[in-house]
Amino acid sequence: MKEQKTIVLASNNPGKRQEIESLLAEEGIRIRPQGDFQVPEIEETGKTFVENAILKARQAAAYSGLPAIADDSGLEVDALKGAPGIFSARFAGVGASDEENLRKLLAALKGLPSEARTARFQCVMVYLRHAADPTPVICQGTWEGAILRAPRGQNGFGYDPVFFVPSERCSAAELDPETKNRLSHRGQALRKLIAYLREQK
Ligand code: IMP
């Protein structure tokens, strides 16, 4: 019998971890959180989602000795010229809460009409076979939507309560986890990565 694949997940964000783990579990892939290997928080010094995802995955692979998956993701708002982008987690400052980031976003868009509130989530998911892997597998997903005027819903994390999902006519935080994974930037990127991992079996 073939050994079950074990991969370290380079994320300390519980919301992301839940979404990623639920899709990988369906594939019989065992995920170990990077917390199991005392992986320190890394400074995201890259200028792109790809660079930051690789930095995170490389560090997790180095500490754990396992293949690693990392995602770097964020929200691009057209009226803010693509901000907060790679700074989404720290939009209201380093260590800011989801609530603080979301409030800052709503304030920045105050008074803007619906047609000017377009936005999208971006996700880059990276797989490194080992810390020195020179050919990382890079998968991307994009989820188009718009920014609401006030938060709605209790599910998800981050900017979900203010992200309007046109196909469902509700916020991302009003979606059940399965529907969010079916539609989201992260779900799209991860399904591409899973297709690659399946080929390697
Ligand atoms: P990262 O951990 O540096 O990739 O930061 C990603 C940040 O982007 C999160 O902290 C959220 O603020 C935001 N973000 C990414 N994906 C989502 C999502 O699916 N829902 C809501 N916010 C998200």
Side-chain angles (χ1 to χ4, degrees):
M1 205 172 69
K2 211 163 175 195
E3 212 185 298
Q4 194 187 30
K5 199 176 189 76
T6 304
I7 298 175
V8 61
L9 181 59
S11 176
N12 295 320
N13 178 324
K16 275 188 186 180
R17 263 175 34 200
Q18 237 169 34
E19 293 179 10
I20 295 171
E21 282 180 15
S22 74
L23 281 182
L24 289 173
E26 290 170 19
E27 289 301 304
I29 294 171
R30 186 166 167 245
I31 286 296
R32 301 270 311 264
Q34 65 172 7
D36 284 3
F37 304 95
Q38 285 76 51
V39 180
E41 193 75 47
I42 195 166
E43 210 190 327
E44 296 185 18
T45 53
K47 288 197 164 36
T48 60
F49 293 118
V50 176
E51 287 167 285
N52 285 336
I54 291 175
L55 285 175
K56 290 190 250 186
R58 190 181 291 135
Q59 176 169 263
Y63 273 77
S64 65
L66 291 172
I69 289 178
D71 112 318
D72 200 58
S73 49
L75 181 68
E76 283 177 359
V77 179
D78 292 325
L80 303 179
K81 299 192 176 76
I86 60 164
F87 302 106
S88 294
R90 43 194 156 137
F91 188 40
V94 175
S97 67
D98 284 350
E99 174 79 16
E100 289 165 335
N101 287 330
L102 186 154
R103 293 278 155 215
K104 178 168 175 182
L105 178 65
L106 290 182
L109 301 185
K110 200 161 188 254
L112 266 192
S114 305
E115 62 275 15
R117 303 180 75 94
T118 48
R120 67 205 54 77
F121 278 123
Q122 300 282 10
C123 173
V124 172
M125 188 85 56
V126 158
Y127 175 69
L128 286 188
R129 299 159 194 87
H130 53 85
D133 189 347
T135 56
V137 181
I138 299 169
C139 302
Q140 186 164 357
T142 302
W143 196 18
E144 296 287 342
I147 305 302
L148 289 162
R149 287 185 173 73
R152 280 167 55 174
Q154 304 296 327
N155 300 334
F157 68 96
Y159 299 93
D160 280 344
V162 293
F163 187 75
F164 180 71
V165 182
S167 64
E168 313 301 303
R169 306 212 56 78
C170 66
S171 82
E174 292 174 301
L175 297 176
D176 59 71
E178 293 72 31
T179 309
K180 184 180 172 194
N181 259 345
R182 179 165 57 78
L183 300 172
S184 80
H185 51 316
R186 190 165 299 100
Q188 294 172 39
L190 193 52
R191 278 190 295 277
K192 290 179 195 170
L193 179 55
I194 285 171
Y196 169 84
L197 293 173
R198 267 192 205 140
E199 277 175 25
Q200 306 306 301
K201 273 190 181 170

